[in-house]
Amino acid sequence: MKETKGKLLLVYLGMLLLGIYILAPVTWIVMMSFKSKIDVISVPPKFIFTPTFDNYLALFGLGKVGLLTGTTFLSFFKNSLILALGSVLLSIVLGMPAAYAFARLRFKAKESLAFTFLSFRFVPEITIILPLYVIYQKLNLYNTYTGLILVYQLISLPFIIWMMRSYFEEIPVAIEQAARTDGYSWGRTFFRMVLPLAAPGVAASLVLAFIFCWNNFIFGLMLGGTNTQPVTVGLLSFMGTNEVQWGLMAAATVIAVIPLMVLALSVQRYMVRGLTLGAVK
Amino acid sequence: MAKVELENVHKNYGAKEDAVKGATFTCEDGEFIVLLGPSGCGKTTTLRMITGLESITSGTIRLGGRVVNNLTPQQRNVAMAFETYALYPPLTVYENIAFPLQVMKRSKAEIDKRVHEVAASLSISDILDKYPEGLAGGQKQRVSLARALVREPTVFLMDEPLSHVDADVRYRARAEIKHIHTVSHATMIYVTHDQVEAVALADRVVVMDLGVIQQIGTPLDLYYRPANLFVAGFIGEPPMNLIPCNLTLDGGMLRASWQSRPDLEWRYQTENIPETALRALQAHHNRPVVFGVRPQRLALRAPDAASSDGSLTGKLLVHEFLGKDGIAQAEVDGTVLECITAPSIPFQAGDLVSLSAAFEDVLFFDPDTTRRIEY
Ligand SMILES: Nc1ncnc2c1ncn2[C@@H]1O[C@H](COP(=O)(O)OP(=O)(O)OP(=O)(O)O)[C@@H](O)[C@H]1O
Ligand SMILES: [Mg+2]
């Protein structure tokens, strides 16, 4: 009895340390976002300070921090939304039929083809960015939403194909066949029978793909300009040559993370399952 | 209900070999046909082509006299019960059964009436509000049968509907299906790899192997007049004893001498053999044949010196008590012969016994064509 209690204590201690390790940077950023310009840079760091909403107000153009407003941030935020949503939408349109085909049909070189899609994810983005830069300049895709959404397919499409495939595979074929013998057309079977059954998985893969797109940095940095770059790149604009706007940057980070947190928590339950399923198949 | 006709139907999935090679058979209106064969022989493929879930590579399928080759499952109005039941998880039992009628846009009142009728006939009225997830295997199976029956289809197809039902209730479920057929007079095509199920249910059985129909016949036909070695070995439990022999027919004696040991032979006096049989067997004089005898027809007796027609001496290996009868294994020169006996026999393992088969109970097969020598 005594021994197990001791063990339990150790486990809790370990969990506590891990929790601190993971949460400390987050807490730090959140704290920073509520600090005034002076408090942010004070040494030693202040844990007790008068919170201020100046940074947030500035971001939304309702105030200033020093001479700066943060309204450019809003356009970066908008860019992020357009890019991530656009990419995920395009990936569904392309990826869902592909995932269904991989799950249900037998055809030549199926696995090789599926793996080819997956391999897009293995290539370090940095290796293709230079040629893409040149090509994009030539094709007038540089600094356009279309161009970025296209290149974002490298992130979202393989992911959507593989994850949705595993969800489609989970649905017994017989259910589809039954619906078809009972009088449903093929399309109706897919949209009314298969899709609702796969819905949680489909939602999870969409959200995850959205998050991956949202987090991307390098494509926006290299292939976009200030009118199309996402927040991840936009944050750099708070680093001037002679001054870094820590408070504004922290507040911007917090805001940029909020949509992801909400999405991730809402589908957390399905995500782990989908990911591991995809892995064993 | 309607007649189902298949005429030289082929299915190729893209592989070198066709999965179904020229299937031709007719299921009369109200008949119960069972497609029987080992795994991978093309039973499901055949069924799916009848349903319309799978395209037909070549050949013709007719339902009620109408060619349906290019019709969708919906247009064919066939019903199918699946091995895995394939119930729709988000729907209740009631909604599952009502589904095909709803698709057909029948009135609410009519749907309600039909669902309750069918549910009552399958004694599942009490679970109509439940969801499939919580049901026992036998219940799920009945729901899937109900869903198929509810719409009065032209033909009722079933793909191994009992293979996931627990062994102890399978017998009852099987009887239920037979009963449904008796009262509904539905045209039924039933797929199974279990010969006991096939023989129990079928008016006629279609035996398939490697995509080819081996024989079409009543259970009795298959049992006593198997078309070839495959059917002979596949039907019957325990399987038929099959022994490679050489046939000679002279001096008033028909002899099937073992290829492994020519001095061992099944002997029959020609005077006791019907004329037609003699004529058919004459063509195989001095040629190899496969000698077949069902364990039920191989008699185990005390060895007697005056060896009579069609008997050999062997050594009893084991005898098992099976209740209403017994099963014995006896060895003759390294070959084990099986034999259904009385529940108890006056011999011990190791005893010498005589194994005899009357001429009318033995079958001869041509090893080249594998076909039974017909007479
Ligand atoms: N969709 C398909 N694509 C390609 N080949 C297939 C397909 N379905 C079945 N086959 C092949 O066709 C052959 C016949 O399969 P089928 O499912 O009809 O056999 P079966 O008799 O129903 O077997 P079982 O008793 O295992 O269900 C097999 O070799 C199988 O691998
Ligand atoms: Mg099958």
Side-chain angles (χ1 to χ4, degrees):
Chain A
M1 203 58 216
K2 190 122 201 178
E3 195 197 317
T4 53
K5 252 191 187 158
K7 250 191 200 161
L8 211 61
L9 204 69
L10 273 179
V11 170
Y12 279 129
L13 197 69
M15 275 163 44
L16 189 71
L17 285 174
L18 191 67
I20 290 173
Y21 175 73
I22 291 169
L23 288 178
V26 181
T27 322
W28 193 255
I29 291 279
V30 173
M31 262 165 53
M32 247 163 90
S33 72
F34 288 106
K35 280 181 180 175
S36 67
K37 245 181 134 170
I38 321 273
D39 285 343
V40 168
I41 49 169
S42 74
V43 182
K46 282 191 180 173
F47 286 95
I48 295 161
F49 56 92
T50 333
T52 159
F53 287 96
D54 285 357
N55 295 319
Y56 289 97
L57 290 175
L59 284 182
F60 290 103
L62 300 172
K64 283 189 177 183
V65 175
L67 290 174
L68 281 168
T69 72
T71 43
T72 47
F73 166 77
L74 281 185
S75 71
F76 288 128
F77 194 84
K78 185 189 79 190
N79 291 343
S80 270
L81 277 178
I82 292 175
L83 292 177
L85 279 178
S87 304
V88 170
L89 270 175
L90 183 61
S91 287
I92 304 175
V93 173
L94 297 176
M96 199 154 71
Y100 185 78
F102 280 131
R104 283 289 190 256
L105 307 183
R106 299 200 198 183
F107 49 90
K108 270 199 190 120
K110 173 162 108 170
E111 291 311 319
S112 322
L113 198 61
F115 188 77
T116 307
F117 280 115
L118 188 65
S119 70
F120 293 163
R121 298 274 299 160
F122 302 154
V123 182
E125 288 146 1
I126 206 98
T127 54
I128 54 165
I129 205 86
L130 278 179
L132 266 182
Y133 179 80
V134 178
I135 293 168
Y136 268 41
Q137 295 277 12
K138 289 236 161 86
L139 293 180
N140 288 330
L141 284 171
Y142 178 78
N143 191 20
T144 61
Y145 289 132
T146 320
L148 283 173
I149 287 175
L150 282 180
V151 74
Y152 271 32
Q153 294 310 305
L154 287 177
I155 308 168
S156 51
L157 189 58
F159 184 78
I160 291 220
I161 290 178
W162 274 74
M163 217 165 137
M164 282 199 186
R165 174 186 181 177
S166 71
Y167 278 105
F168 286 144
E169 276 171 348
E170 235 184 292
I171 300 168
V173 198
I175 287 189
E176 273 175 59
Q177 295 175 343
R180 297 209 36 221
T181 22
D182 283 347
Y184 264 16
S185 65
W186 186 89
R188 214 161 154 206
T189 306
F190 181 77
F191 287 107
R192 301 276 291 274
M193 229 68 225
V194 180
L195 217 48
L197 287 175
V202 169
S205 33
L206 296 191
V207 165
L208 222 50
F210 180 89
I211 291 174
F212 287 150
C213 289
W214 186 277
N215 284 343
N216 185 271
F217 175 73
I218 190 87
F219 289 143
L221 181 72
M222 299 293 289
L223 302 175
T226 37
N227 3 345
T228 55
Q229 280 169 335
V231 260
T232 44
V233 180
L235 286 178
L236 287 180
S237 67
F238 296 116
M239 292 190 192
T241 30
N242 39 24
E243 180 177 42
V244 178
Q245 297 292 332
W246 294 114
L248 281 173
M249 218 162 138
T253 309
V254 170
I255 291 174
V257 163
I258 285 173
L260 303 193
M261 295 274 270
V262 174
L263 285 174
L265 287 177
S266 62
V267 296
Q268 189 188 26
R269 204 150 55 90
Y270 307 109
M271 241 154 47
V272 179
R273 201 161 122 262
L275 284 175
T276 46
L277 269 176
V280 292
K281 284 254 159 74
Chain B
M1 286 289 160
K3 177 161 131 174
V4 183
E5 295 160 281
L6 274 76
E7 211 176 284
N8 201 19
V9 172
H10 283 262
K11 176 68 196 183
N12 190 296
Y13 281 116
K16 228 176 25 240
E17 291 266 308
D18 285 0
V20 174
K21 300 169 192 152
T24 303
F25 66 88
T26 302
C27 180
E28 298 296 339
D29 191 351
E31 197 181 18
F32 199 131
I33 289 267
V34 173
L35 288 182
L36 173 68
S39 186
C41 72
K43 307 180 294 288
T44 300
T45 303
T46 308
L47 209 61
R48 282 157 50 87
M49 286 192 289
I50 300 172
T51 333
L53 290 167
E54 200 71 67
S55 64
I56 303 162
T57 308
S58 69
T60 313
I61 296 182
R62 282 191 215 91
L63 296 183
R66 183 171 65 139
V67 177
V68 295
N69 283 28
N70 297 316
L71 299 189
T72 62
Q74 190 177 9
Q75 294 163 325
R76 297 185 194 196
N77 189 27
V78 295
M80 183 139 162
F82 293 83
E83 182 174 353
T84 49
Y85 318 126
L87 302 178
Y88 310 125
L91 306 185
T92 61
V93 168
Y94 181 95
E95 290 162 337
N96 263 283
I97 302 174
F99 183 84
L101 298 179
Q102 267 161 4
V103 177
M104 290 189 214
K105 303 225 171 9
R106 298 290 173 79
S107 75
K108 266 228 163 66
E110 189 196 339
I111 293 178
D112 198 58
K113 184 166 152 276
R114 280 295 295 155
V115 171
H116 280 105
E117 270 172 22
V118 172
S121 75
L122 286 165
S123 10
I124 45 173
S125 301
D126 51 329
I127 55 167
L128 286 175
D129 299 331
K130 295 211 171 124
Y131 284 90
E133 205 183 7
L135 302 183
Q139 289 175 317
K140 283 188 192 168
Q141 192 245 343
R142 276 190 249 179
V143 176
S144 89
L145 289 176
R147 186 179 58 181
L149 280 171
V150 77
R151 44 193 271 218
E152 294 161 329
T154 54
V155 49
F156 193 175
L157 308 169
M158 289 175 270
D159 192 355
E160 315 215 11
L162 298 186
S163 61
H164 283 75
V165 178
D166 291 341
D168 50 334
V169 291
R170 196 174 305 161
Y171 157 77
R172 274 195 50 208
R174 196 172 72 200
E176 221 155 62
I177 290 177
K178 186 79 185 172
H179 177 70
I180 291 171
H181 177 248
T182 317
V183 298
S184 68
H185 306 291
T187 309
M188 291 189 169
I189 302 183
Y190 183 107
V191 160
T192 181
H193 60 259
D194 179 353
Q195 46 122 350
V196 177
E197 222 169 273
V199 167
L201 287 170
D203 292 328
R204 285 188 305 152
V205 182
V206 175
V207 185
M208 292 184 76
D209 186 37
L210 304 172
V212 180
I213 293 182
Q214 305 288 324
Q215 184 171 6
I216 305 171
T218 63
L220 257 107
D221 281 342
L222 301 183
Y223 202 82
Y224 293 111
R225 309 184 61 77
N228 55 32
L229 283 170
F230 174 79
V231 179
F234 195 72
I235 307 279
E237 181 64 40
M240 186 181 277
N241 297 299
L242 293 167
I243 304 137
C245 292
N246 286 310
L247 188 81
T248 52
L249 227 177
D250 49 21
M253 197 64 93
L254 181 146
R255 297 163 203 270
S257 54
W258 289 35
Q259 282 172 10
S260 56
R261 259 194 58 193
D263 60 310
L264 289 174
E265 54 185 24
W266 307 94
R267 256 193 323 266
Y268 298 96
Q269 292 183 354
T270 46
E271 65 197 51
N272 301 331
I273 300 177
E275 191 60 31
T276 47
L278 275 180
R279 231 176 294 130
L281 291 169
Q282 189 69 56
H284 295 267
H285 171 61
N286 260 335
R287 294 173 53 100
V289 292
V290 176
F291 177 96
V293 57
R294 292 233 170 257
Q296 288 78 356
R297 297 304 170 96
L298 189 62
L300 193 82
R301 301 210 183 89
D304 49 4
S307 95
S308 56
D309 263 14
S311 83
L312 281 175
T313 305
K315 193 170 73 179
L316 183 65
L317 294 178
V318 282
H319 180 260
E320 290 168 17
F321 170 72
L322 295 179
K324 134 181 157 319
D325 47 26
I327 179 167
Q329 295 191 332
E331 186 214 298
V332 180
D333 186 41
T335 301
V336 174
L337 299 179
E338 285 187 316
C339 171
I340 300 291
T341 66
S344 65
I345 52 173
F347 310 111
Q348 304 290 324
D351 285 359
L352 287 183
V353 289
S354 138
L355 299 156
S356 58
F359 181 81
E360 49 286 11
D361 291 331
V362 304
L363 303 169
F364 295 94
F365 299 87
D366 180 340
D368 296 332
T369 61
T370 81
R371 300 197 65 78
R372 181 169 55 84
I373 299 168
E374 190 94 33
Y375 46 81

